[in-house]
Amino acid sequence: MGNIFGRKRRTRVTEQDRAVLQLKQQRDKLKQYQKRITLQLEKERNLAKQLLKDGKKEKALLLLKKKRYQDQLLDKTENQISNLERMCQDIEFAQIEMKVIEGLKVGNDCLKSLHEAMSIEDVERIMDETQEAVEYQREIDEMLAGSLTQEDEDAILAELEAITQGDLDLPEVPDESLPEVPEAAEEEPGQERPRKKQEREMLAV
């Protein structure tokens, strides 16, 4: 179980990947050599100064000639490093271009399969059939519109209005008239209700 779930997916290493790896390794070695020579040249320069102070001019001159030769080696090393880096970049960019070309090829194959499934003749036939169906429907609409008279139009509108009113379901209004409400008898100014008269007498006491 542990081996199954713990197994790492192995990536496919191409010849281009190996070439780029070797170029980068060679570049790193040259950089290490360049660093070592630079430190050595600095030491020899300081040593040449010391020899001049000690009056050993010939030894100092010989040491400076050696230093000059190593400076030229450093220049060559720098050019080689630049060439290696340029080569790595060219190979990596070529790999990207190859992936783009592969993607374009897949897309082109997909388009070809779609074109084979639906040819130009099929598209033209479908468009013609669609146009014929639209024209046929237009002819039917024109025939229906021309066959109806004004009386038919009025009857259709009346039927529509009747259907609309029927959907409202309004309650029926009764035909019988409502009974009249008797008017209240007007009280004479001098008359008062017995209860109010009794209340005023109690207040007067």
Side-chain angles (χ1 to χ4, degrees):
M1 294 294 289
N3 293 333
I4 295 176
F5 293 101
R7 185 182 302 171
K8 295 182 179 180
R9 185 178 180 182
R10 300 178 62 183
T11 58
R12 180 173 174 268
V13 179
T14 62
E15 294 296 331
Q16 293 81 7
D17 295 333
R18 293 191 181 94
V20 170
L21 179 60
Q22 291 177 359
L23 290 172
K24 289 182 177 181
Q25 289 175 347
Q26 188 63 31
R27 178 202 61 189
D28 294 339
K29 289 180 180 180
L30 287 175
K31 286 185 176 181
Q32 291 176 0
Y33 172 78
Q34 188 182 36
K35 184 178 180 180
R36 185 172 66 251
I37 293 298
T38 301
L39 293 175
Q40 184 177 352
L41 289 175
E42 186 65 25
K43 291 180 180 180
E44 290 178 354
R45 186 171 181 275
N46 294 330
L47 182 59
K49 288 181 180 181
Q50 186 64 36
L51 290 173
L52 289 174
K53 289 180 180 180
D54 296 340
K56 300 177 181 180
K57 183 177 180 181
E58 293 181 359
K59 289 185 177 180
L61 183 61
L62 181 62
L63 192 61
L64 290 175
K65 288 180 179 180
K66 181 182 177 182
K67 178 180 178 297
R68 179 62 181 171
Y69 174 73
Q70 290 177 340
D71 285 336
Q72 294 176 356
L73 289 179
L74 278 180
D75 294 337
K76 292 181 180 179
T77 303
E78 185 66 29
N79 292 331
Q80 291 176 356
I81 291 175
S82 299
N83 292 332
L84 290 173
E85 290 179 346
R86 189 180 303 109
M87 183 65 69
C88 290
Q89 292 174 358
D90 292 340
I91 294 175
E92 290 174 349
F93 185 73
Q95 288 178 315
I96 295 175
E97 287 183 332
M98 183 61 67
K99 291 180 181 179
V100 172
I101 293 174
E102 291 176 355
L104 292 175
K105 184 178 180 300
V106 173
N108 191 21
D109 294 339
C110 181
L111 287 176
K112 285 182 179 179
S113 62
L114 291 174
H115 292 163
E116 291 175 357
M118 182 65 69
S119 62
I120 297 177
E121 291 78 9
D122 294 335
V123 175
E124 292 178 349
R125 178 179 54 81
I126 293 173
M127 294 298 293
D128 292 338
E129 291 177 355
T130 302
Q131 184 64 27
E132 290 177 359
V134 172
E135 293 178 355
Y136 181 73
Q137 184 62 39
R138 186 182 299 113
E139 292 177 359
I140 293 175
D141 294 339
E142 292 176 354
M143 291 175 61
L144 290 175
S147 62
L148 296 177
T149 62
Q150 184 62 37
E151 185 178 355
D152 295 330
E153 295 287 347
D154 295 339
I156 292 172
L157 293 176
E159 184 177 0
L160 178 62
E161 185 178 358
I163 293 174
T164 305
Q165 292 180 355
D167 292 338
L168 295 178
D169 293 331
L170 296 176
E172 296 182 357
V173 179
D175 296 335
E176 298 178 356
S177 59
L178 297 175
E180 295 182 358
V181 178
E183 296 181 357
E186 296 182 356
E187 296 181 356
E188 295 182 359
Q191 291 181 348
E192 294 182 357
R193 292 183 180 180
R195 184 176 180 181
K196 291 184 178 181
K197 186 177 181 182
Q198 184 178 2
E199 291 178 354
R200 284 198 300 268
E201 292 178 353
M202 292 177 65
L203 292 173
V205 175

